Amino acid sequence: MTKATGAAGDPPYLRIVAGIRQRIADGELAPGDRVPSTRQIAAQWGVALATATKALTTLRLEGLVEARPRVGTVVAGGALTAPTRRGPASSSTPDSERELSLDRIVRTAIGIADAEGLAAVSMRSVASRLGVATMSTYRYVPSKEDLVLHMADAAFGEESYRADAQQGWRARVELGARTLWGLYRKHPWLAQVGSLTRPLLVPNLMVHGDRMLAALDGHGLDPRTLFDIHVLLYSHVQGMAVHLEMEAHAEAVTGQSEDQWMDGRAADLRNLVESGRFPAFAKAIGSFENGYDLRLDALFEFGLKALLDGLTPLVEGPGPSGR
């Protein structure tokens, strides 16, 4: 965790401001460079997102940083910096560190997306993070759209499966679904890429799909039913996962956690419950001692079990069955 410079008695946001201001003055951050995002500041300095947002706002008011569409918050052109910048492009940096490759570009882009969301990824932001000219990256990947495909393929390829010929179909499906959920948890932006109607055609996602189909195969299902079940299971995993990035983005924009956001709307919820117009809703909400706690991981497992319980007779057929 990073500690900001500044007077010990200063509020946390002012110490963060002082730390970033010093990096700009030292030339570590030059005009046009991305400054840490609210998420990065919160993680590095151990503060709330609201504090991180206040720090960036202060830097904007001082004219040191500015927001650029599709890029993020960068050092302003008029910010004072030292004449010699220290960083990746310095002549002291080994040649091997400056050599580009498709893998370095993709991994850098994934790092940006993990920390700041998919919207923060651009050819320019990746080049800036690598300390190279933007046009250099185009020698390896022709567009952001292609870059995102490479990112998704690399992310889905981070997990593989051992041979499990002795396992039953349900155990294999459960492992496949949980493996995908874990990848979406690790890379929240990943569920935003592609859809059921316009699926991602990348090899490493196919690995997960092929495994799911193989687990369901051999039980007498016709090909269409087999594929429909596969799509239904995948939609459950992805459908739950899209909320991971949406919540992360909402926290970054508002500076409020999910609980803080709900606390701020307690009066609105109370008015709905007490209006008498929604008796079933009021009854359900009223039965919780401390309110309803939405837990995505638990809801994912609950939905997966419900789906598989319902699908078991279809997959295994009538009569006595075992898993």
Side-chain angles (χ1 to χ4, degrees), residues 53-204:
T53 301
K54 191 172 183 178
L56 287 181
T57 300
T58 302
L59 288 166
R60 289 192 190 99
L61 293 174
E62 290 182 0
L64 292 175
V65 303
E66 60 188 11
R68 293 184 182 174
R70 300 181 63 82
V71 176
T73 303
V74 302
V75 178
L80 296 178
T81 60
T84 302
R85 180 189 176 195
R86 299 192 302 272
S90 170
S91 59
S92 63
T93 304
D95 289 343
S96 60
E97 292 183 14
R98 296 202 301 268
E99 289 178 357
L100 276 181
S101 68
L102 178 59
D103 182 67
R104 279 194 69 199
I105 292 170
V106 170
R107 287 299 167 187
T108 298
I110 288 176
I112 294 173
D114 287 348
E116 304 174 48
L118 192 61
V121 176
S122 68
M123 303 299 282
R124 180 176 178 178
S125 66
V126 172
S128 177
R129 188 68 58 88
L130 289 168
V132 299
T134 302
M135 291 307 297
S136 300
T137 61
Y138 285 99
R139 296 201 301 267
Y140 299 87
V141 58
S143 66
K144 177 181 175 177
E145 289 72 23
D146 289 283
L147 175 59
V148 170
L149 288 178
H150 282 291
M151 291 166 60
D153 193 39
F156 281 120
E158 291 177 359
E159 294 289 348
S160 58
Y161 303 95
R162 296 179 298 177
D164 54 4
Q166 301 305 312
Q167 291 183 345
W169 72 270
R170 180 159 178 160
R172 295 170 69 187
V173 167
E174 287 174 341
L175 178 59
R178 289 171 184 147
T179 298
L180 277 175
W181 179 250
L183 288 172
Y184 286 132
R185 263 293 192 193
K186 183 178 180 181
H187 305 292
W189 54 270
L190 191 54
Q192 307 288 335
V193 182
S195 65
L196 288 181
T197 54
R198 302 188 182 193
L200 282 174
L201 301 178
V202 294
N204 284 321

